[in-house]
Amino acid sequence: MDINKESVKTQSCNHAAKTAEEPEHDHMHVHTHVLEDGTVIQHSHTHTHENTKAVLNRLSRAIGHLESVKRMVEDGRDCSEVLVQLSAVKSAINNTGKIILQDHIKHCLVDAVQTGDMEEIEELNKAIEQFIK
């Protein structure tokens, strides 16, 4: 059974809600493969993300920090102080992105390589390029 890798298409990405007691996050990809003879095969992969709660907490802290920087600007605080705090927010966001990337590689990319899902791999490459700009 030879799958035409160029015909692989990610159709949906569903996020299942988890409670605080369940910090993991399910991430489902449904794929459609069209074989050379025209046969259509659909299958899905469910990936569990371990760090969703930690990522959400980090983002909430970064949002709060950015709001305090905004207040600093509104209050006319020294530009040097504002720049230092903006740098801290930027660092917090970058570190959060690294956690998301590590989690994605650990759970989603491994499966994509095993199944030959070149579209998923290419999407990750594009996201990494955008993230590191």
Side-chain angles (χ1 to χ4, degrees), residues 59-128:
L59 289 172
S60 292
R61 281 195 305 273
I63 289 167
H65 196 164
L66 187 58
E67 287 172 348
S68 71
V69 174
K70 181 181 174 191
R71 284 190 300 276
M72 289 175 70
V73 172
E74 290 169 344
D75 295 344
R77 297 278 296 271
D78 183 67
C79 293
S80 297
E81 293 176 34
V82 172
L83 289 172
V84 167
Q85 293 306 312
L86 276 177
S87 176
V89 172
K90 187 166 54 170
S91 178
I93 291 169
N94 283 338
N95 288 332
T96 304
K98 289 176 189 175
I99 291 171
I100 292 169
L101 179 57
Q102 290 168 346
D103 204 35
H104 187 68
I105 288 170
K106 185 175 177 183
H107 295 286
C108 301
L109 189 60
V110 170
D111 189 60
V113 169
Q114 290 172 346
T115 60
D117 187 348
M118 299 308 292
E119 185 174 320
E120 179 73 21
I121 294 167
E122 185 56 34
E123 285 178 19
L124 178 61
N125 281 332
K126 288 178 186 174
I128 290 170

Side-chain angles (χ1 to χ4, degrees), residues 1-5 7-8 31-43 114-116:
M1 176 185 289
D2 188 303
I3 296 175
N4 180 353
K5 292 178 183 166
S7 68
V8 176
H31 304 276
T32 300
H33 301 276
V34 180
L35 304 180
E36 290 179 7
D37 67 359
T39 305
V40 177
I41 299 172
Q42 274 195 335
H43 64 102
Q114 290 172 346
T115 60

Side-chain angles (χ1 to χ4, degrees), residues 14 24-29 31 44-50 103-104 106-112 117 120:
N14 300 319
E24 294 184 347
H25 183 71
D26 289 337
H27 191 77
M28 180 173 293
H29 294 276
H31 304 276
S44 63
H45 308 286
T46 301
H47 312 285
T48 302
H49 295 280
E50 300 168 355
D103 204 35
H104 187 68
K106 185 175 177 183
H107 295 286
C108 301
L109 189 60
V110 170
D111 189 60
D117 187 348
E120 179 73 21

